[in-house]
Amino acid sequence: MLHNKLILYGLLIAFILSGCAAPLRTDTVSFNSPSAYQNKQEIDGLQIAVVPIDSLERSKEIFGTDLKAADILPVHLIVQNSEKKEFEINHQQIFGVTADGKYTVAYSLNKTAEHVRRSSIGSTAVAGAVAGTLAGAAIGAGIGAGVGYAGGNVSQGAATGVIFGGAFGAAVGTAEGLSDSFTVKFKQELANLAFEDRVIFPGDIQQGFIYLKWDHYNKIRVKVLNITDNTIHEIMFDVSVKR
């Protein structure tokens, strides 16, 4: 009877983890200088390129998962300052623009992390943590039951069932708390590569990602402040979002 229960719990764990999205895990990013990209633009000696990360392969390479599952389009900004001036780029002044002229502002890190948590990516992470708790309980229950039967204590099986049942309930009960902790973890991972607000100093090459709601944008609007000359530039980059 106990053996059958352990098999059932094992199958349940496998079912929870099967067919789920890969976990979010950022990595080092390789890139070219802005001049290598077709939509590169230059303002007062500052070169900028904007690259939507719309392919499954590239998203997995950078983020460990397909962020489209969270309805998130990462956009890679690459800048190179070859002059002696300083520039500032505010990520909240970066917009995706659709063919019908609608503007969508970049998400904050908090909002991006919330979207990831509510997606299959977040569900997988929480389910995996709960399943790990269940797996540990199943192993412990099996060992306890084996000892009980070896010693002739048949009641050990019933006791083990009670213990394992309690562990199962506890694991499910902690899912809510895990949800919050994973949202924080997702935010930390996304922050590792985020562009956010930047000052680009003379001689700098900088890069990072903004996170937009997934849509088929045909332009990305970026505002650049030339701090040295106190001038503002609004730049439109032509882009194409596939999939």
Side-chain angles (χ1 to χ4, degrees):
M1 174 72 104
L2 178 60
H3 177 70
N4 291 338
K5 283 185 177 180
L6 294 178
I7 292 175
L8 179 61
Y9 290 134
L11 291 173
L12 175 62
I13 293 167
F15 175 76
I16 290 172
L17 295 177
S18 66
C20 294
L24 172 63
R25 187 176 297 110
T26 54
D27 203 351
T28 300
V29 182
S30 298
F31 59 94
N32 297 315
S33 67
S35 60
Y37 297 93
Q38 187 173 3
N39 68 356
K40 180 268 297 183
Q41 296 197 43
E42 184 171 343
I43 297 293
D44 297 340
L46 180 71
Q47 295 182 27
I48 309 173
V50 173
V51 185
I53 307 301
D54 56 357
S55 74
L56 174 63
E57 295 75 15
R58 186 65 171 151
S59 185
K60 285 187 173 181
E61 179 185 345
I62 298 169
F63 299 98
T65 191
D66 183 11
L67 282 182
K68 190 176 190 295
D71 203 28
I72 298 295
L73 175 68
V75 177
H76 198 183
L77 267 69
I78 305 163
V79 298
Q80 182 171 5
N81 186 359
S82 57
E83 293 295 325
K84 295 182 178 180
K85 300 178 180 181
E86 295 182 3
F87 300 87
E88 181 182 50
I89 296 178
N90 181 345
H91 83 283
Q92 291 185 324
Q93 285 297 314
I94 299 175
F95 300 87
V97 187
T98 56
D100 58 357
K102 291 182 180 177
Y103 284 64
T104 300
V105 68
Y107 284 131
S108 67
L109 282 175
N110 282 335
K111 187 58 67 175
T112 308
E114 288 172 8
H115 276 277
V116 174
R117 170 60 195 94
R118 291 197 297 266
S119 73
S120 59
I121 300 168
S123 299
T124 299
V126 174
V130 172
T133 301
L134 291 175
I139 293 169
I143 293 172
V147 172
Y149 281 119
N153 184 0
V154 179
S155 65
Q156 182 68 41
T160 301
V162 171
I163 293 170
F164 186 71
F168 180 87
V172 173
T174 58
E176 187 75 24
L178 284 170
S179 174
D180 292 339
S181 66
F182 274 104
T183 301
V184 172
K185 178 177 172 55
F186 294 148
K187 181 180 177 181
Q188 292 170 341
E189 288 288 340
L190 293 163
N192 289 337
L193 300 180
F195 195 89
E196 295 280 84
D197 298 342
R198 293 283 184 95
V199 173
I200 301 95
F201 296 99
D204 275 5
I205 297 177
Q206 297 192 29
Q207 59 81 35
F209 294 84
I210 63 163
Y211 305 104
L212 288 168
K213 176 181 173 62
W214 190 287
D215 205 341
H216 289 92
Y217 305 107
N218 66 350
K219 294 185 183 296
I220 301 291
R221 183 264 194 188
V222 178
K223 183 180 116 175
V224 177
L225 169 64
N226 181 330
I227 299 173
T228 304
D229 296 341
N230 194 28
T231 56
I232 296 174
H233 303 276
E234 179 179 337
I235 313 171
M236 286 287 191
F237 293 85
D238 292 328
V239 296
S240 175
V241 179
K242 302 177 178 64
R243 282 206 292 162

